[in-house]
């Protein structure tokens, strides 16, 4: 039995030594390949969020009838769009659809679109004006915010 323990111990030592040699040679190969290619290091500030998205969270034709002209008008006005917005719809049986436009977890526009009245395009035009003024005000506040101790996204 002592021979088998020693035998397994020797096998274990040889196995660990061979894994160590393999990992060192693999590491050297990877480092050599990385040295051959020129890679740009990603800075933390390059990992900012994707900008310019208008996310469609509508469910009905009323919401879609609002979202389509809103996104087209906003992209025509602000090219390129530098913020992310979410158009969210809450369908109700009594009032129609409650449409909200959200920027950074803040509701910046809310309206009700009823099925009887076809005012989705007019509300979309009004929403574009409100969103443009909100984005301009938000950019000014962000530019002049005191960020001595906290970054912009930590407020």
């Amino acid at each position: 039995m002592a021979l088998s323990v020693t035998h397994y111990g020797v096998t274990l030592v040889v196995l660990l030594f061979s894994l160590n040699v393999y990992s060192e040679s693999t590491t050297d190969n990877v480092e050599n390949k990385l040295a051959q290619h020129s890679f740009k290091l990603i800075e933390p500030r390059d990992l900012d969020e994707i900008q310019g998205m208008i996310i469609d969270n509508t469910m009905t034709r009323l919401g879609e009838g609002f979202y389509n002209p809103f996104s087209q008008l906003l992209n025509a006005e602000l090219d390129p769009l530098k913020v992310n917005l979410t158009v969210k719809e809450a369908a109700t049986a009594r009032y129609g659809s409650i449409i909200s436009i959200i920027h950074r977890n803040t509701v910046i526009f809310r309206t009700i679109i009823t099925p009887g009245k076809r005012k989705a395009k007019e509300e979309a035009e009004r929403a574009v004006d409100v969103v443009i003024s909100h984005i301009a005000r938000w950019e000014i506040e962000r530019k002049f915010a005191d960020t001595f101790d906290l970054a912009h996204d930590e407020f």
Side-chain angles (χ1 to χ4, degrees):
M1 191 150 220
L3 285 175
S4 62
V5 171
T6 308
H7 177 68
Y8 288 128
V10 170
T11 305
L12 183 63
V13 170
V14 170
L15 181 64
L16 289 176
F17 178 73
S18 63
L19 285 176
N20 189 23
V21 169
Y22 176 74
S23 66
E24 287 176 4
S25 65
T26 306
T27 306
D28 292 340
N29 289 339
V30 170
E31 289 175 358
N32 290 337
K33 288 180 182 178
L34 287 175
Q36 291 173 357
H37 299 288
S38 61
F39 289 104
K40 178 187 171 197
L41 293 176
I42 298 175
E43 297 292 325
R45 63 181 166 269
D46 292 339
L47 297 176
D48 289 341
E49 64 185 32
I50 298 172
Q51 296 179 344
M53 295 181 63
I54 304 173
I55 300 168
D56 182 13
N57 275 350
T58 59
M59 301 175 279
T60 65
R61 288 185 188 228
L62 290 173
E64 185 179 328
F66 175 84
Y67 174 80
N68 288 335
F70 171 75
S71 62
Q72 291 171 357
L73 290 169
L74 190 63
N75 283 325
E77 290 284 328
L78 297 176
D79 188 33
L81 183 63
K82 295 181 180 178
V83 297
N84 295 331
L85 300 171
T86 303
V87 178
K88 185 176 178 183
E89 177 185 16
T92 62
R94 187 172 187 182
Y95 298 111
S97 292
I98 301 171
I99 307 288
S100 303
I101 300 175
I102 302 167
H103 173 246
R104 292 189 168 262
N105 296 326
T106 304
V107 176
I108 58 174
F109 180 82
R110 183 173 285 158
T111 188
I112 297 175
I113 299 177
T114 58
K117 297 179 181 177
R118 299 288 180 183
K119 64 174 189 169
K121 185 167 177 149
E122 292 83 20
E123 288 295 319
E125 291 171 354
R126 193 167 69 91
V128 167
D129 294 336
V130 171
V131 167
I132 288 173
S133 66
H134 171 79
I135 290 172
R137 186 174 54 250
W138 176 77
E139 286 177 345
I140 290 171
E141 288 174 1
R142 183 179 164 120
K143 190 174 209 172
F144 293 113
D146 181 21
T147 57
F148 180 70
D149 333 4
L150 299 173
H152 289 291
D153 59 347
E154 294 176 342
F155 281 109

